[in-house]
């Protein structure tokens, strides 16, 4: 059964829900609500990675996320920390996080992989070609899937060299990161091939621009006119398709919609047709 990772943004500027849960109490309450809706994992982040976002000082990031991680972990939640900083990753793991989700795959902070290695935490390695402030500068591909697979394979090697066994690695093709429009769809169509590298695969399409562009392509409307309800429907559909392609997990804002969509899809096709991921330790 594909796992659902709920998003808890403890930020003032995330592209979808920035500022709603900046207060630690509000973030914890939101996280517990997502768990009640069926989230298997909660991904707590204190730094926006939206296009154009500037970096946040690690000390500020830690102040935002550590109290939230600790409270959710104490409540029995499986917590992932969404960070590109080694110091934040370590502080979050010490507070109870069991997964480190680095959208840069260990490239933004060269110390992260080695720092996390002795903790035993699982690590999400995202496909990344540069910081959010200029993430589209290198969105040039000859073969999107082949290049994403090749670059992530090298991140697996880097993690192993740092002491992180392949069994602890989760791969994320970085939908929306350094990819424009149809490049994201191509990367998604490569999910089965990505799973073929032997690691678990996490897919995150939630409320991203390429969905809005797709929904408005034939209507002549601006992608910014697409509301969250339509984006969440698109997210639920892509999450079902990702699960069918073998994804271990899907990362979403609207947990309830995705949980329902996955439940209906499983009923239609039967459990045997779906991925059976190893649950987080």
């Amino acid at each position: 059964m594909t796992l659902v990772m709920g998003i808890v943004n403890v930020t003032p500027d995330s592209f979808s829900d920035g500022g709603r849960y900046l207060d630690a109490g509000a973030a914890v309450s939101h996280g517990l609500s997502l768990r009640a809706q069926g989230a298997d994992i909660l991904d707590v982040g204190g730094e926006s990675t939206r296009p154009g976002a500037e970096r946040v000082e690690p000390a500020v990031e830690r102040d935002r996320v550590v109290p939230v991680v600790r409270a959710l972990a104490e409540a029995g939640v499986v917590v992932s920390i969404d960070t590109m900083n080694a110091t934040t990753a370590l502080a979050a793991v010490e507070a109870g996080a069991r997964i480190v989700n680095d959208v840069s795959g260990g490239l933004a902070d060269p110390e992260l992989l080695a720092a996390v290695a002795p903790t035993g935490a699982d690590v999400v390695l995202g496909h990344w070609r540069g910081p959010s402030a200029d993430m589209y500068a290198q969105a040039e591909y000859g073969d999107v899937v082949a290049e994403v697979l090749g670059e992530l394979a090298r991140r697996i090697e880097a993690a192993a060299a740092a002491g992180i066994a392949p069994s602890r690695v989760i791969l994320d093709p970085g939908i929306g990161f350094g990819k424009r429009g149809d490049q994201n769809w191509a990367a998604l169509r490569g999910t089965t091939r990505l799973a073929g590298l032997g690691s678990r695969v996490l897919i995150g399409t939630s409320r991203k621009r390429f969905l809005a562009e797709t929904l408005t392509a034939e209507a002549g409307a601006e992608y910014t006119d697409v509301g969250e309800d339509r984006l969440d429907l698109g997210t639920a559909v892509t999450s079902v398709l990702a699960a069918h392609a073998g994804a271990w997990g899907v990362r979403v804002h609207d947990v309830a919609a995705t949980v329902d969509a996955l439940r209906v899809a499983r009923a239609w096709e039967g459990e045997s047709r779906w991925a059976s991921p190893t649950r987080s330790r």
Side-chain angles (χ1 to χ4, degrees):
M1 185 174 67
T2 298
L3 305 184
V4 176
M5 176 183 282
I7 298 169
V8 180
N9 286 322
V10 195
T11 61
D13 59 344
S14 290
F15 73 92
S16 175
D17 57 2
R20 294 185 196 175
Y21 312 112
L22 183 57
D23 173 77
V28 172
S29 178
H30 179 57
L32 294 176
S33 176
L34 294 181
R35 181 178 69 164
Q37 293 169 26
D40 299 287
I41 304 164
L42 294 179
D43 193 39
V44 179
E47 177 179 11
S48 174
T49 53
R50 62 177 174 78
E54 298 294 336
R55 297 301 309 273
V56 171
E57 287 296 324
V60 173
E61 182 188 32
R62 291 194 298 275
D63 287 344
R64 291 174 179 174
V65 300
V66 169
V68 178
V69 170
R70 180 174 291 110
L72 290 173
E74 289 176 351
V77 177
V78 176
V79 179
S80 167
I81 178 63
D82 180 0
T83 184
M84 294 183 282
N85 294 308
T87 56
T88 300
L90 287 178
V93 171
E94 290 174 0
R98 293 158 65 179
I99 301 171
V100 174
N101 179 11
D102 182 355
V103 299
S104 81
L107 290 169
D109 184 346
E111 298 180 4
L112 185 141
L113 295 177
V116 173
T119 70
D122 287 349
V123 180
V124 179
L125 301 176
H127 178 261
W128 189 80
R129 284 188 168 181
S132 296
D134 195 24
M135 69 162 58
Y136 296 125
Q138 299 185 62
E140 301 294 335
Y141 300 86
D143 183 327
V144 173
V145 176
E147 290 176 48
V148 168
L149 263 62
E151 290 167 37
L152 284 177
R154 289 193 286 276
R155 300 321 301 155
I156 295 173
E157 294 171 357
I164 299 172
S167 61
R168 292 168 55 191
V169 169
I170 302 159
L171 298 178
D172 181 344
I175 302 303
F177 289 88
K179 301 171 189 67
R180 299 181 185 275
D182 288 346
Q183 293 171 340
N184 293 293
W185 289 114
L188 286 171
R189 287 191 291 270
T191 298
T192 301
R193 289 176 61 187
L194 181 57
L197 291 180
S199 295
R200 293 164 288 171
V201 174
L202 176 68
I203 298 293
T205 63
S206 193
R207 299 179 181 172
K208 292 189 175 178
R209 174 174 171 170
F210 83 105
L211 288 177
E213 291 174 340
T214 297
L215 293 172
T216 57
E218 297 181 4
E222 293 293 329
Y223 77 89
T224 52
D225 293 335
V226 179
E228 285 185 1
D229 56 342
R230 294 183 69 197
L231 289 174
D232 288 336
L233 176 59
T235 299
V237 172
T238 52
S239 294
V240 166
L241 293 170
H244 191 270
W248 162 85
V250 290
R251 182 180 181 274
V252 301
H253 294 86
D254 186 341
V255 166
T258 293
V259 167
D260 284 349
L262 289 170
R263 184 178 293 124
V264 169
R266 286 196 298 270
W268 178 286
E269 294 199 334
E271 295 285 348
S272 63
R273 291 287 303 276
W274 294 76
S276 298
T278 301
R279 287 187 172 265
S280 299
R281 295 191 294 271

